[in-house]
Amino acid sequence: MKHAFAVANCTAALHLAHLALGAGPGDKVICPSLTFVATANAIRYTGATPVFADITSVDDLNNAPDDIAAKIDASTKGICVLHYGGYACDMERIMDIAQKHKLYVVEDAAHAPGAATWLRDQTTVRGERVLRKCGSIGDIGCFSFFSNKNIATGEGGMMTTNSDVLAEKIKLLRAHGMTSLTWDREQGHSFSYDVVALGYNYRIDEIRSAIGRVQLKKLESNNSRRAEITHIYRERLQDIKAISIPFMHVNSVSSHHIFPILLKTSNARQPFMSFMRDKGIQTSIHYPPVHTFSHYKSSCEPESLPRTVEVAPRIVTLPLYPTLTQEQVEYVIAMVQQWSIEMQ
Ligand SMILES: *Cc1c(COP(=O)(O)O)cnc(C)c1O
């Protein structure tokens, strides 16, 4: 990418992205409900309103391009997509929709460092498909380096863009709207500064940046270990009747951030998670949908999200991180198998 800015965290990155792209009071931005709450909160920080789009299916938990298109109206300003679990959205169709309606696209790539997907190459006449990295396709890409992400610095984030105009805005908004920074002044480029926008302190610090540079070197090998574990899980769990596994048939490159499974019924989730915990295995929920939170309830009709409503209570994620050992993976698989036998 032409520009990349390290920031304090991905929530700050998303906030700055929507600000730089001009979202504000009266605007609507379409985003998933099946995401971490920060995706929606960041839209609201600007005064704009998040409008939730439904997932595609039990096999594809990303926003359905059709439903994104269906939720566009005269106040829609942009779209924020999430590459759920590190599996790329259908960016070709989403970019087409955005272009047609003159909407901006922010990629919440918190799960997706290293992930990529096929896109028509606009620069060639034949329009061949090229592999493009997640976070490099929309107007701005936002990454998280929180402790549980594929690159971890504790707290941290990054924004990427190819637009010089957006880069200038991001640079200002990230650091108090100041025209020159301590570093420039120390280097003798200027003695004072002006403030030309209502900016924030969304910088990352040097110590986390140093950690990030080391972490970045491990991204590729860590992602391939995540892929390996995912393939073992898939192979060994796919015949279990009590569960199904989303994203089985993707042809994009995943970063394998998490490994979600779907239980057949929603009332199986609590007993399943308790069973696994008793066996010493932590499972998680990615995510309680944003539209179900008390703070968000009044702003969305669940009827507009039938597939999210149906699928979300059945989602559980199994352990997935690069340092999981073969024995640990085998143990998790054995316990899922044991649970499925015991529950019959
Ligand atoms: C983690 C996460 C964020 C927020 O990232 P922070 O760096 O913790 O602010 C935003 N969106 C999604 C989908 C995430 O998983």
Side-chain angles (χ1 to χ4, degrees):
M1 298 296 285
K2 217 165 154 190
H3 307 279
F5 295 96
V7 288
N9 53 63
C10 183
T11 310
L14 290 163
H15 180 197
L16 288 194
H18 293 295
L19 273 183
L21 286 158
D27 296 327
K28 292 177 185 166
V29 178
I30 297 172
C31 73
S33 174
L34 191 66
T35 181
F36 183 57
V37 67
T39 314
N41 282 351
I43 295 166
R44 295 195 48 221
Y45 297 158
T46 70
T49 304
V51 174
F52 300 118
D54 208 356
I55 58 168
T56 306
S57 68
V58 288
D59 294 319
D60 179 353
L61 306 180
N62 281 323
N63 267 168
D66 286 342
D67 200 53
I68 291 175
K71 284 182 173 145
I72 294 170
D73 68 18
S75 326
T76 310
K77 179 90 179 168
I79 300 167
C80 181
V81 294
L82 163 69
H83 305 292
Y84 181 102
Y87 298 92
C89 293
D90 186 345
M91 289 310 286
E92 204 160 81
R93 291 193 53 211
I94 290 166
M95 294 310 287
D96 281 348
I97 292 166
Q99 214 160 24
K100 189 171 149 207
H101 296 272
K102 301 196 165 53
L103 306 177
Y104 72 70
V105 176
V106 170
E107 291 179 80
D108 182 339
H111 296 184
T117 189
W118 295 96
L119 225 71
R120 259 190 326 276
D121 185 359
Q122 309 274 7
T123 61
T124 68
V125 185
R126 282 186 296 168
E128 292 152 64
R129 282 192 160 75
V130 288
L131 203 52
R132 290 270 302 273
K133 286 269 158 70
C134 291
S136 76
I137 302 165
D139 296 282
I140 299 176
C142 300
F143 295 88
S144 173
F145 307 141
F146 183 63
S147 317
N148 62 8
K149 303 292 161 75
N150 290 42
I151 298 176
T153 64
E155 299 276 1
M158 186 157 293
M159 324 176 52
T160 51
T161 183
N162 279 328
S163 156
D164 298 338
V165 175
L166 289 174
E168 269 318 301
K169 288 187 185 168
I170 291 166
K171 210 154 105 181
L172 274 177
L173 292 172
R174 178 178 65 163
H176 311 284
M178 286 160 65
T179 52
S180 78
L181 305 177
T182 318
W183 177 249
D184 302 314
R185 293 194 295 280
E186 198 274 335
Q187 295 289 294
H189 298 318
S190 54
F191 293 106
S192 187
Y193 56 83
D194 190 13
V195 170
V196 294
L198 179 63
Y200 300 82
N201 177 1
Y202 279 172
R203 293 173 313 235
I204 197 170
D205 60 281
E206 284 82 355
I207 294 170
R208 280 162 213 279
S209 302
I211 296 170
R213 289 173 71 97
V214 178
Q215 287 279 311
L216 181 60
K217 294 194 184 113
K218 302 191 226 166
L219 179 65
E220 214 175 297
S221 60
N222 279 349
N223 277 5
S224 25
R225 177 62 187 149
R226 287 172 179 275
E228 249 171 50
I229 297 166
T230 299
H231 290 132
I232 301 170
Y233 274 151
R234 279 186 189 155
E235 217 169 86
R236 303 276 303 283
L237 296 175
Q238 63 181 345
D239 294 329
I240 295 178
K241 295 278 182 292
I243 65 166
S244 71
I245 304 170
F247 301 112
M248 284 290 272
H249 310 288
V250 295
N251 60 0
S252 56
V253 178
S254 178
S255 56
H256 300 99
H257 174 57
I258 51 175
F259 185 78
I261 60 171
L262 295 183
L263 304 174
K264 280 284 178 276
T265 62
S266 55
N267 50 20
R269 185 159 72 179
Q270 203 54 53
F272 175 75
M273 293 182 80
S274 301
F275 177 91
M276 296 297 273
R277 190 192 46 210
D278 291 346
K279 304 293 179 190
I281 300 167
Q282 186 190 1
T283 57
S284 331
I285 299 172
H286 293 90
Y287 293 90
V290 178
H291 78 272
T292 61
F293 292 135
S294 308
H295 190 63
Y296 274 90
K297 244 177 201 158
S298 59
S299 61
C300 170
E301 304 289 329
E303 297 76 40
S304 69
L305 302 167
R307 294 184 292 268
T308 303
V309 168
E310 204 273 313
V311 165
R314 295 162 47 202
I315 295 179
V316 182
T317 46
L318 299 183
L320 175 60
Y321 49 91
T323 52
L324 263 181
T325 65
Q326 194 66 30
E327 293 72 40
Q328 287 171 321
V329 176
E330 295 291 340
Y331 179 66
V332 172
I333 292 167
M335 290 308 111
V336 177
Q337 285 166 337
Q338 191 183 322
W339 168 78
S340 76
I341 292 164
E342 281 182 19
M343 71 168 287
Q344 275 172 6

Short mmCIF file of all heavy atoms in Angstrom, two decimals, residues 46 56 90 95 98 109 137 139 161 212 239 243 289 291 295 303:
data_model
loop_
_atom_site.label_atom_id
_atom_site.label_comp_id
_atom_site.label_asym_id
_atom_site.label_seq_id
_atom_site.Cartn_x
_atom_site.Cartn_y
_atom_site.Cartn_z
N THR A 46 -18.74 9.00 15.03
CA THR A 46 -18.75 10.13 14.08
C THR A 46 -20.10 10.82 14.04
O THR A 46 -20.26 11.84 13.37
CB THR A 46 -18.46 9.65 12.64
OG1 THR A 46 -19.58 8.89 12.17
CG2 THR A 46 -17.19 8.81 12.57
N THR A 56 -24.42 -14.20 4.92
CA THR A 56 -24.77 -14.84 3.66
C THR A 56 -25.50 -16.16 3.87
O THR A 56 -26.57 -16.39 3.30
CB THR A 56 -23.50 -15.07 2.80
OG1 THR A 56 -22.81 -13.83 2.67
CG2 THR A 56 -23.83 -15.61 1.42
N ASP A 90 -16.94 -11.18 -0.26
CA ASP A 90 -17.02 -11.13 -1.73
C ASP A 90 -16.75 -9.69 -2.16
O ASP A 90 -17.67 -8.91 -2.45
CB ASP A 90 -18.42 -11.58 -2.17
CG ASP A 90 -18.53 -11.68 -3.68
OD1 ASP A 90 -17.65 -11.13 -4.38
OD2 ASP A 90 -19.49 -12.29 -4.16
N MET A 95 -17.45 -4.10 -3.97
CA MET A 95 -16.86 -2.91 -4.60
C MET A 95 -17.73 -2.42 -5.76
O MET A 95 -17.86 -1.20 -5.99
CB MET A 95 -15.43 -3.17 -5.07
CG MET A 95 -14.43 -3.44 -3.96
SD MET A 95 -14.41 -2.25 -2.60
CE MET A 95 -13.64 -0.85 -3.41
N ALA A 98 -20.63 -0.59 -4.19
CA ALA A 98 -20.17 0.70 -3.66
C ALA A 98 -19.97 1.71 -4.79
O ALA A 98 -20.37 2.88 -4.68
CB ALA A 98 -18.87 0.52 -2.88
N ALA A 109 -10.30 -5.18 8.88
CA ALA A 109 -9.42 -6.32 8.61
C ALA A 109 -8.76 -6.82 9.90
O ALA A 109 -7.67 -7.40 9.86
CB ALA A 109 -8.37 -5.93 7.57
N ILE A 137 -8.20 -3.29 -0.42
CA ILE A 137 -9.19 -3.26 -1.52
C ILE A 137 -10.14 -2.06 -1.41
O ILE A 137 -10.40 -1.37 -2.38
CB ILE A 137 -9.98 -4.59 -1.55
CG1 ILE A 137 -9.01 -5.77 -1.71
CG2 ILE A 137 -11.02 -4.58 -2.67
CD1 ILE A 137 -9.61 -7.12 -1.41
N ASP A 139 -11.43 1.72 0.46
CA ASP A 139 -10.75 3.02 0.56
C ASP A 139 -9.71 3.02 1.68
O ASP A 139 -8.63 3.58 1.53
CB ASP A 139 -11.77 4.13 0.81
CG ASP A 139 -12.72 4.27 -0.36
OD1 ASP A 139 -12.31 4.86 -1.36
OD2 ASP A 139 -13.85 3.73 -0.29
N THR A 161 -4.05 2.84 3.14
CA THR A 161 -4.80 3.45 2.05
C THR A 161 -3.86 3.76 0.88
O THR A 161 -2.66 3.96 1.08
CB THR A 161 -5.53 4.75 2.50
OG1 THR A 161 -6.30 5.25 1.40
CG2 THR A 161 -4.55 5.84 2.94
N GLY A 212 5.82 -4.96 17.30
CA GLY A 212 5.09 -5.23 16.06
C GLY A 212 6.00 -5.61 14.91
O GLY A 212 5.67 -6.47 14.10
N ASP A 239 -17.47 -34.99 9.77
CA ASP A 239 -18.50 -36.05 9.72
C ASP A 239 -19.35 -36.11 10.99
O ASP A 239 -20.25 -36.93 11.08
CB ASP A 239 -17.83 -37.41 9.48
CG ASP A 239 -17.20 -37.47 8.09
OD1 ASP A 239 -17.76 -36.80 7.18
OD2 ASP A 239 -16.16 -38.12 7.94
N ILE A 243 -22.63 -31.07 14.53
CA ILE A 243 -22.07 -29.76 14.21
C ILE A 243 -21.96 -29.58 12.70
O ILE A 243 -22.01 -30.56 11.95
CB ILE A 243 -20.66 -29.55 14.84
CG1 ILE A 243 -19.64 -30.54 14.23
CG2 ILE A 243 -20.70 -29.70 16.35
CD1 ILE A 243 -18.19 -30.17 14.54
N PRO A 289 -24.30 -11.05 18.52
CA PRO A 289 -24.52 -10.01 17.49
C PRO A 289 -24.76 -8.63 18.12
O PRO A 289 -25.43 -8.53 19.15
CB PRO A 289 -25.76 -10.47 16.75
CG PRO A 289 -26.01 -11.86 17.18
CD PRO A 289 -25.28 -12.12 18.45
N HIS A 291 -26.66 -6.20 17.35
CA HIS A 291 -28.04 -5.70 17.46
C HIS A 291 -28.77 -6.25 18.68
O HIS A 291 -29.84 -5.77 19.03
CB HIS A 291 -28.83 -6.01 16.17
CG HIS A 291 -29.30 -7.42 16.09
ND1 HIS A 291 -28.53 -8.43 15.54
CD2 HIS A 291 -30.45 -8.01 16.49
CE1 HIS A 291 -29.19 -9.58 15.62
NE2 HIS A 291 -30.36 -9.35 16.18
N HIS A 295 -27.56 -1.69 24.57
CA HIS A 295 -27.27 -0.35 24.07
C HIS A 295 -27.70 -0.18 22.62
O HIS A 295 -27.87 0.93 22.13
CB HIS A 295 -25.77 -0.06 24.22
CG HIS A 295 -25.41 1.35 23.96
ND1 HIS A 295 -25.86 2.39 24.73
CD2 HIS A 295 -24.64 1.92 23.00
CE1 HIS A 295 -25.40 3.52 24.26
NE2 HIS A 295 -24.65 3.26 23.20
N GLU A 303 -35.94 -8.66 12.63
CA GLU A 303 -36.54 -9.25 11.42
C GLU A 303 -35.72 -8.94 10.17
O GLU A 303 -35.83 -9.64 9.17
CB GLU A 303 -37.98 -8.73 11.20
CG GLU A 303 -38.98 -9.08 12.28
CD GLU A 303 -38.80 -8.23 13.54
OE1 GLU A 303 -38.54 -7.01 13.40
OE2 GLU A 303 -38.88 -8.79 14.65
#
